[in-house]
Amino acid sequence: MKIIIDGKACESAYGEYILDVARRNNIHIPTLCHSDALPGQGNCRLCVVEVVENHRKKIVTSCVYPITKEIEVITNSDTIKNIRKTILMLLSASVSQNKYINELKEKYGVLNTKRFHVDQKENCILCGLCVRACEEMGSSVIATVNRGITKKISTPYDEPSSECIGCSACAHVCPTEAIKIEEKDGKRIIWNRTFELLKCSKCGTYFATQEEFEYINKKLDSNENVFICNKCKKHLNAEKIKDAFKDVVIK
């Protein structure tokens, strides 16, 4: 079906989210809590847009709003800009030094405010992506704890968790780089726990923890004991494909 986004006609499948259609057509809608690998968050509300149906406008969250009929979408009206400015003002009150948030503040003309006392070192916006990632991995090591101004993401009792496999999936999906990883001398430190890293047998690069490797083997019902990083795996697979077709003659 056809929808109109900022005056541009776009093709959409039934049930497809507005954000996905917009991105496919190179129409920018800012996001923080959205990840293609973990869709459906809708927490930060930065991706709000206006939808026009039957000559009436309504504000919706584009990352979780399914398209079921022909509609018109406005992504950058004055109303939407003001909503985003308010959201960014509130977020910056919590993470005042975060680089990405400050870039968005500058883009939308958000003035600095000294109304709130903030932790200058805080970067977490409580979007929940890291918790989702940990759940999808099957570990569920981290969660939202406490309430009000003390609310945060943490392991149980802030202690190193024996269930954590050190995969760092939580850090990779974090939009504000709030989860810190330290890697040095073949060790990875994350969530107050130190992991020994495995070295790729091909290139010698440290790439995964022993716990992560064993977890993946268990999930895949595999007994693989050769440590090869993803980059080298891709190279080996490409070589196998090349060898498989080297004698093929195209007529």
Side-chain angles (χ1 to χ4, degrees):
M1 65 182 71
K2 286 187 178 181
I3 66 169
I4 305 297
I5 305 180
D6 293 342
K8 182 178 180 179
C10 305
E11 288 291 336
S12 167
Y14 183 89
E16 194 172 12
Y17 295 137
I18 291 174
L19 179 64
D20 295 328
V21 178
R23 285 185 168 180
R24 191 169 64 246
N25 287 274
N26 298 316
I27 298 170
H28 177 69
I29 298 176
T31 62
L32 281 170
C33 73
H34 179 77
S35 167
D36 290 337
L38 302 166
Q41 284 287 105
N43 287 339
C44 73
R45 291 298 193 270
L46 200 63
C47 70
V48 291
V49 296
E50 281 186 294
V51 168
V52 182
E53 288 185 29
N54 300 322
H55 306 291
R56 300 181 66 179
K57 292 182 180 180
K58 60 181 178 181
I59 308 297
V60 303
T61 308
S62 64
C63 71
V64 293
Y65 189 86
I67 299 167
T68 58
K69 63 181 73 173
E70 293 186 354
I71 55 173
E72 181 182 356
V73 179
I74 304 168
T75 71
N76 217 17
S77 65
D78 288 340
T79 299
I80 293 300
K81 287 179 181 177
N82 287 331
I83 292 173
R84 290 177 184 156
K85 287 175 69 173
T86 301
I87 291 170
L88 289 168
M89 181 188 70
L90 294 172
L91 286 174
S92 66
S94 299
V95 292
S96 61
Q97 299 303 309
N98 185 262
K99 181 181 177 181
Y100 184 50
I101 297 296
N102 285 331
E103 287 175 356
L104 288 171
K105 281 175 60 182
E106 184 176 350
K107 178 179 179 179
Y108 283 92
V110 180
L111 300 176
N112 291 324
T113 176
K114 297 183 179 180
R115 180 179 176 184
F116 307 102
H117 173 73
V118 298
D119 183 352
Q120 300 294 325
K121 296 181 180 179
E122 184 58 74
N123 283 295
C124 179
I125 59 170
L126 297 171
C127 69
L129 271 178
C130 58
V131 176
R132 282 274 310 279
C134 196
E135 289 174 351
E136 291 294 328
M137 286 297 294
S139 300
S140 297
V141 169
I142 54 177
T144 305
V145 299
N146 301 336
R147 297 180 180 178
I149 60 173
T150 62
K151 190 176 181 180
K152 64 179 181 177
I153 306 294
S154 182
T155 54
Y157 307 107
D158 291 331
E159 295 290 332
S161 173
S162 60
E163 299 297 319
C164 182
I165 60 175
C167 66
S168 70
C170 54
H172 290 309
V173 299
C174 178
T176 57
E177 299 181 351
I179 301 173
K180 301 304 178 185
I181 306 175
E182 183 180 343
E183 292 189 359
K184 187 178 180 181
D185 300 327
K187 298 181 187 296
R188 175 183 293 167
I189 302 173
I190 185 171
W191 295 114
N192 301 316
R193 183 176 171 187
T194 302
F195 296 87
E196 296 285 342
L197 289 171
L198 300 175
K199 186 181 289 188
C200 177
S201 59
K202 293 291 183 181
C203 66
T205 302
Y206 290 108
F207 72 102
T209 68
Q210 178 71 43
E211 291 82 355
E212 181 184 358
F213 188 80
E214 291 174 355
Y215 177 83
I216 293 172
N217 269 352
K218 184 178 179 181
K219 280 286 185 180
L220 298 177
D221 194 23
S222 170
N223 294 318
E224 184 177 349
N225 56 10
V226 179
F227 308 137
I228 302 177
C229 70
N230 287 333
K231 184 177 180 179
C232 288
K233 280 183 179 178
K234 289 179 181 179
H235 179 72
L236 289 172
N237 289 335
E239 289 296 321
K240 288 179 181 178
I241 293 172
K242 183 179 179 180
D243 289 341
F245 286 92
K246 67 180 180 179
D247 295 326
V248 175
V249 178
I250 301 175
K251 295 181 180 181

